[in-house]
Amino acid sequence: MESLSSRISAHFAESAKLKLAAVDEMRAPLVRGIELMVETLRGGGKILSCGNGGSAADAQHFAAELINRFERERPPLAAIALSTDTSGLTSIANDYAYQQVFSKPLRALGRRGDALLAISTSGNSGNVVDAVNAAHELGIRVVALTGNGGGKMNALMRDDDVHLCVPHKTTARIQEVHLLCIHCLCDGIDTVLFPR
């Protein structure tokens, strides 16, 4: 039986290898994502975020870093994680459909000039796909954070959207790179908006 120690070492090695291999593919879309988000915030818009499970946690993490701070002192930035209102989420899921748990609040809170950070490791999450469609109807640009080819979300991306697709098939590895991408977005937003 393989030892736990060697399994742990293999996880670290695979994660590090993917991050280093992905940087060339992800650098340019990350720059575009930062630019889109900075333009949104400078224009008085807000960034809404959504995802399921671990991606919901990532959406909340991103919003918290903008509202509070990332690594430097600065004013709060406008962000909302659509996964945090459990009463709203469960009422929509109960009364309508789970597929609408992000698109309904997006339609209520989102405005032209806002941005949506849509997170799905597979790119196939029905409620995130529905949120992307709602964003497009409202004139909200999308930064999609996916993996494994981008799934259904890949086909939905418009020219003024940004697709950050991690070149890997394993959910855990994709999520690890998603967190790094979120930190790159936060750092880039702070660097552009609040230069030292």
Side-chain angles (χ1 to χ4, degrees):
M1 183 171 103
E2 184 180 14
S3 73
L4 290 176
S5 178
S6 63
R7 287 185 66 82
I8 291 166
S9 295
H11 283 297
F12 270 78
E14 187 178 357
S15 183
K17 182 180 173 185
L18 172 61
K19 288 172 183 164
L20 292 172
V23 67
D24 288 336
E25 189 172 330
M26 310 258 344
R27 184 185 300 113
L30 276 164
V31 168
R32 289 196 312 275
I34 292 164
E35 291 170 345
L36 185 157
M37 290 178 172
V38 165
E39 184 181 326
T40 297
L41 294 166
R42 278 185 173 154
K46 61 191 165 295
I47 304 171
L48 302 108
S49 57
C50 65
N52 296 288
S55 297
D58 287 342
Q60 290 176 231
H61 181 159
F62 174 79
E65 301 287 21
L66 291 191
I67 291 170
N68 186 26
R69 69 178 178 95
F70 182 54
E71 291 187 330
R72 63 178 76 179
E73 294 301 325
R74 49 116 170 110
L77 299 172
I80 300 171
L82 298 174
S83 56
T84 57
D85 178 4
T86 54
S87 296
L89 192 146
T90 54
S91 71
I92 293 165
N94 184 63
D95 295 348
Y96 295 94
Y98 190 72
Q99 183 158 330
Q100 297 178 39
V101 296
F102 301 135
S103 58
K104 258 190 119 106
L106 182 68
R107 285 189 170 94
L109 301 170
R111 301 289 178 264
R112 182 176 295 278
D114 290 343
L116 173 68
L117 177 62
I119 310 172
S120 171
T121 56
S122 67
N124 293 320
S125 301
N127 53 9
V128 180
V129 168
D130 208 47
V132 170
N133 287 324
H136 287 151
E137 290 169 19
L138 296 167
I140 294 172
R141 292 182 297 172
V142 175
V143 176
L145 198 48
T146 70
N148 194 19
K152 293 175 183 174
M153 288 169 60
N154 185 44
L156 298 177
M157 294 296 100
R158 296 183 174 175
D159 289 343
D160 58 348
D161 293 330
V162 176
H163 190 188
L164 303 168
C165 184
V166 178
H168 208 273
K169 295 183 179 194
T170 304
T171 298
R173 298 292 90 84
I174 293 167
Q175 288 175 328
E176 289 157 9
V177 178
H178 279 186
L179 180 57
L180 180 56
C181 289
I182 286 167
H183 286 164
C184 288
L185 291 169
C186 293
D187 176 73
I189 289 166
D190 283 2
T191 298
V192 175
L193 288 179
F194 306 99
R196 293 185 188 214

